[in-house]
Amino acid sequence: MTDMAASCTSCGECVRPCSFLQQQGTPLSIAQQGATDRNLLAAYGCSLCGLCDAVCPESLSPSGMLRAMRSEAADRGLVDLKAYAPWLNYEKMGASPFFRRDLIPPGCTIVFFPGCSLPGTRPDAVLELFKRLRLMEPAIGLVLDCCGKISHDLGLTDRFTALFGRLSQRLRHKGITRILTACPGCSKIMRNYGEGLDVTSAYEVLAAGTLPTPPASPLNVVTIHDPCPARFDPAQQTAVRQLVQSCGYQIEELPSHGTTTRCCGQGGMVEGCVPGTIKQETRLIAAEAAGRPVISSCASCSDSLTTATAAGHVVDLLINKTDFPAKPVSSARRWLNRLKLRFARIL
Ligand code: SF4
Ligand code: SF4
């Protein structure tokens, strides 16, 4: 807050695209209000999407300040965690032995880590991705677990540190040095906190392999929704586009893409304190898509966008699945899908 109070010029560049800042004022005015209980709690209305960081001419990080405010609010015991129980239970169950799995062959130093949402919504695609990655990295293993992003974003530092610390220590203990991720949220968490671990998006690895030549006439025109955790990850963004094109699709970019992509509404669990956020944000992205199917590399984004427009995941195209889901995958189905992967015969 001190840095923001000293450096923000209140130019308003970050306010223009952000409904949260339009209500709360510039990062300077938020910082000047100080660490009052009310001001700290207001940070839970920010999705931590990072769009403000991307557009700030002073290279400031309002999202970093707001994340720190969440942590302070949580440390002071100000947050009513009941509002976030669905997310916290989801994280707790996903990191439990019921759903965790390590398939690490002897001598393995590299694993595929698909995260939570992709296994919950597309278990068959996870197996197919793993199969393709094994063709390129024969000694690769598979780890099913949760990276703790929910606790991280809610500012629950101790809980996040325990969850992520246990995961990263286990991987290191088993000799893992490289992780291929399918979830942009996991990628960001692991890059920021997984000291000594080389983290690469699985899409980059797949795109670096031999891709089929796209047909002369594209099957369809699609748009790409870049997930906000991959906002500053041009390599991942490029790889996803290469994969989509290799499946025979023509891409028309959304006005908000790359570093200026919009949050799908799931970011920061804002829905827990501002119900209707997902509906509002997905409608904005659907309006930009103007009827063209929206493809994302984040299963949570794809699931949210399904409520507003035709939306799928890049892995849907990779497995030739073009009938995009008509509605989000139910909670019960997600757990069944994850159990299916937990006990699937794989290696
Ligand atoms: S992180 Fe996103 S929601 Fe939060 S202030 Fe920045 S642009 Fe707005
Ligand atoms: S864009 Fe940067 S300088 Fe301008 S109001 Fe936002 S944080 Fe302040």
Side-chain angles (χ1 to χ4, degrees):
M1 275 186 158
T2 313
D3 288 352
M4 192 60 68
S7 308
C8 174
T9 62
S10 271
C11 71
E13 282 297 313
C14 58
V15 178
R16 268 185 277 285
C18 171
S19 55
F20 167 76
L21 291 177
Q22 285 161 16
Q23 287 171 11
Q24 300 295 323
T26 65
L28 174 64
S29 71
I30 294 172
Q32 285 175 334
Q33 288 170 52
T36 62
D37 290 359
R38 185 180 166 158
N39 197 31
L40 294 179
L41 278 173
Y44 284 83
C46 156
S47 69
L48 306 176
C49 72
L51 179 55
C52 44
D53 305 0
V55 299
C56 177
E58 307 295 326
S59 302
L60 300 176
S61 177
S63 75
M65 175 184 76
L66 290 153
R67 227 281 297 170
M69 289 168 67
R70 284 180 167 216
S71 288
E72 190 164 345
D75 289 349
R76 286 194 202 171
L78 303 176
V79 189
D80 178 10
L81 292 181
K82 286 200 289 294
Y84 302 100
W87 289 273
L88 290 169
N89 289 336
Y90 178 74
E91 179 182 75
K92 186 177 172 187
M93 284 287 283
S96 74
F98 291 120
F99 294 95
R100 281 203 320 257
R101 183 174 190 182
D102 288 354
L103 273 174
I104 300 180
C108 166
T109 58
I110 172 171
V111 293
F112 176 42
F113 187 89
C116 297
S117 294
L118 196 63
T121 57
R122 293 163 172 84
D124 296 335
V126 169
L127 292 176
E128 177 62 24
L129 276 188
F130 184 54
K131 200 166 97 185
R132 293 191 190 195
L133 290 168
R134 279 186 81 196
L135 292 176
M136 304 173 78
E137 301 276 357
I140 193 170
L142 175 71
V143 171
L144 303 177
D145 203 338
C146 173
C147 72
K149 186 174 189 298
I150 288 172
S151 290
H152 175 272
D153 287 358
L154 286 176
L156 304 173
T157 309
D158 291 347
R159 189 172 160 136
F160 167 69
T161 304
L163 272 173
F164 187 76
R166 187 193 62 200
L167 169 64
S168 58
Q169 275 172 24
R170 192 171 89 241
L171 294 177
R172 283 196 192 92
H173 181 69
K174 295 191 174 182
I176 304 305
T177 56
R178 188 163 187 232
I179 302 180
L180 306 187
T181 51
C183 167
C186 296
S187 304
K188 189 173 175 186
I189 287 286
M190 290 189 161
R191 282 183 183 145
N192 286 345
Y193 296 94
E195 203 181 331
L197 293 171
D198 174 5
V199 182
T200 309
S201 140
Y203 310 114
E204 280 175 65
V205 175
L206 290 171
T210 309
L211 296 178
T213 308
S217 305
L219 299 173
N220 200 350
V221 172
V222 297
T223 62
I224 305 286
H225 168 66
D226 293 305
C228 45
R231 178 185 305 287
F232 298 113
D233 190 347
Q236 185 176 159
Q237 293 167 8
T238 301
V240 167
R241 285 163 173 75
Q242 287 170 336
L243 292 173
V244 168
Q245 285 166 333
S246 77
C247 293
Y249 292 83
Q250 181 185 334
I251 296 169
E252 289 179 0
E253 294 290 359
L254 296 174
S256 307
H257 71 277
T259 54
T260 58
T261 190
R262 298 194 66 87
C263 175
C264 71
Q266 295 254 15
M269 284 64 67
V270 175
E271 189 78 22
C273 63
V274 189
T277 299
I278 294 174
K279 194 172 177 183
Q280 176 185 311
E281 297 302 320
T282 52
R283 279 185 178 172
L284 290 173
I285 296 169
E288 287 195 0
R292 296 163 295 184
V294 184
I295 304 300
S296 184
S297 57
C298 170
S300 290
C301 294
S302 301
D303 225 33
S304 299
L305 287 163
T306 295
T307 61
T309 190
H313 193 285
V314 60
V315 300
D316 296 337
L317 305 187
L318 290 174
I319 61 171
N320 296 319
K321 188 173 178 302
T322 52
D323 52 333
F324 301 127
K327 56 183 183 183
V329 179
S330 71
S331 177
R333 172 51 61 188
R334 280 172 179 257
W335 290 119
L336 287 173
N337 284 342
R338 290 177 73 171
L339 277 178
K340 179 177 170 180
L341 271 182
R342 169 74 176 79
F343 293 105
R345 289 187 60 167
I346 299 176
L347 286 179

